[in-house]
Amino acid sequence: IPMVDIKDVLSFNYYTYKKPFTGSDNGKRYRIVRLEKEVQAGEGTEPEKEVVFKAFLWKDFLAFEKTPEEEILTKEFDFTPSGLEQVVDWINTTML
């Protein structure tokens, strides 16, 4: 069974430039992006920015933009080198 390796998804530093990465493996397509989202820290405080990896996974027959949203699985991970390893594990272990 082919598997995605951490070396297949480029280095952690690539994602600091906010460029998405897409690939495919064994009938699955995936997209990994760096995402900044606002998180409300508490009542009356300014929202804080949290940076995460957001991974998308869908069947390998349509481009990301052409795939219906309900057919795309998504999950967020910590924006760290180990978070990127968790993204790869999720891609490899998630069945579509």
Side-chain angles (χ1 to χ4, degrees), residues 45-92:
T45 61
E46 290 292 313
E48 296 176 6
K49 291 233 184 289
E50 180 184 10
V51 179
V52 296
F53 278 114
K54 187 161 186 178
F56 303 84
L57 198 56
W58 69 100
K59 288 189 191 292
D60 189 11
F61 56 88
L62 286 176
F64 180 73
E65 294 79 9
K66 302 279 187 201
T67 303
E69 198 174 309
E70 61 273 8
E71 294 180 21
I72 300 175
L73 298 177
T74 63
K75 190 166 181 181
E76 293 181 1
F77 300 86
D78 291 337
F79 190 72
T80 61
S82 66
L84 186 56
E85 290 176 16
Q86 291 170 7
V87 170
V88 171
D89 288 344
W90 180 70
I91 291 168
N92 285 327

Side-chain angles (χ1 to χ4, degrees), residues 12-67:
F12 175 77
N13 286 343
Y14 170 85
Y15 299 94
T16 63
Y17 295 100
K18 302 182 185 177
K19 300 279 187 221
F21 179 80
T22 56
S24 63
D25 177 68
N26 209 26
K28 296 189 250 192
R29 295 191 62 160
Y30 56 90
R31 177 181 174 101
I32 305 166
V33 297
R34 174 186 188 266
L35 180 70
E36 287 184 15
K37 61 182 197 171
E38 289 192 351
V39 178
Q40 196 63 44
E43 192 78 26
T45 61
E46 290 292 313
E48 296 176 6
K49 291 233 184 289
E50 180 184 10
V51 179
V52 296
F53 278 114
K54 187 161 186 178
F56 303 84
L57 198 56
W58 69 100
K59 288 189 191 292
D60 189 11
F61 56 88
L62 286 176
F64 180 73
E65 294 79 9
K66 302 279 187 201
T67 303

